[in-house]
Amino acid sequence: MRHPLTHYRFTRRAGSGLLAVAAVAGTATMLSAAPASALSWHCSKGSHTIDTANYSGPWPDNWKITVQNCSARSGAYVYGKATIKWDGPTFNNTHPNIFDGAKYRLVLKKSVSGTDPTVAKKDYNIEGKLETSTNSGSYTTGTIKAKVNSTKAYADGTLLLDWHQCCGGYKSWGYPASPRT
């Protein structure tokens, strides 16, 4: 009959070996996935000049908002991100009541015949960033991804602004979609 401690040591060593193999296997899997920063991004840029709808005073009140939508591919996955840059009106100077809401809706779409279906979508709240910037600023969204296999796909987006106590809710401005990847 074996001593109970001998069995324990053998089991413990075997368990440690299995954990080491699992750790190495997990590392190999993690290394095979491309980080978002290592991807080859393809982008399109557009801009809109937008009037501050809830202001009619004597000061210039236009916003120039430029968006760059980008997409990248890694194997069966497509990734999307956007950079939003703005030059706001001079009267802004960190006024907290310009918007009741402001967001950028980033979507990934499959490129197919007919209407391109959305395969991923995320809204990014930019209200505080627009209201607390000193007339200009920028924001880069997080990265979204979707599995599309071999189908081409692209990133698209819409700016949604809801002016403070004005104009009946969100108004939208579309921006050029990224090239298909």
Side-chain angles (χ1 to χ4, degrees):
M1 181 167 149
R2 280 193 244 168
H3 188 278
L5 291 179
T6 305
H7 177 67
Y8 172 74
R9 284 186 198 140
F10 174 75
T11 304
R12 184 174 175 188
R13 283 186 192 142
S16 297
L18 291 174
L19 287 175
V21 169
V24 170
T27 302
T29 302
M30 288 173 27
L31 292 176
S32 66
S37 61
L39 296 170
S40 177
W41 293 95
H42 305 279
C43 305
S44 292
K45 187 188 292 189
S47 65
H48 289 288
T49 300
I50 302 169
D51 182 62
T52 302
N54 60 352
Y55 176 77
S56 59
W59 300 100
D61 66 343
N62 288 338
W63 295 76
K64 180 178 181 186
I65 300 181
T66 303
V67 174
Q68 180 173 306
N69 286 311
C70 301
S71 62
R73 176 177 285 277
S74 178
Y77 289 89
V78 67
Y79 298 80
K81 67 179 180 178
T83 299
I84 302 110
K85 293 183 180 181
W86 60 90
D87 288 316
T90 56
F91 76 83
N92 178 17
N93 293 322
T94 69
H95 192 281
N97 292 321
I98 296 171
F99 304 102
D100 284 336
K103 57 188 172 182
Y104 190 74
R105 178 168 292 152
L106 179 63
V107 297
L108 289 174
K109 293 184 176 184
K110 277 179 151 181
S111 183
V112 298
S113 65
T115 303
D116 294 341
T118 297
V119 293
K121 172 176 74 170
K122 183 162 184 179
D123 288 350
Y124 293 91
N125 182 353
I126 60 172
E127 177 184 354
K129 291 163 185 49
L130 292 172
E131 290 179 336
T132 60
S133 65
T134 54
N135 306 85
S136 65
S138 68
Y139 173 74
T140 300
T141 67
T143 302
I144 61 175
K145 78 175 188 176
K147 187 173 185 178
V148 295
N149 297 318
S150 62
T151 305
K152 297 275 189 186
Y154 58 92
D156 200 358
T158 305
L159 176 67
L160 299 154
L161 300 176
D162 182 6
W163 302 100
H164 181 63
Q165 297 180 345
C166 175
C167 313
Y170 281 102
K171 304 298 179 219
S172 63
W173 291 265
Y175 287 86
S178 72
R180 297 179 322 143
T181 56

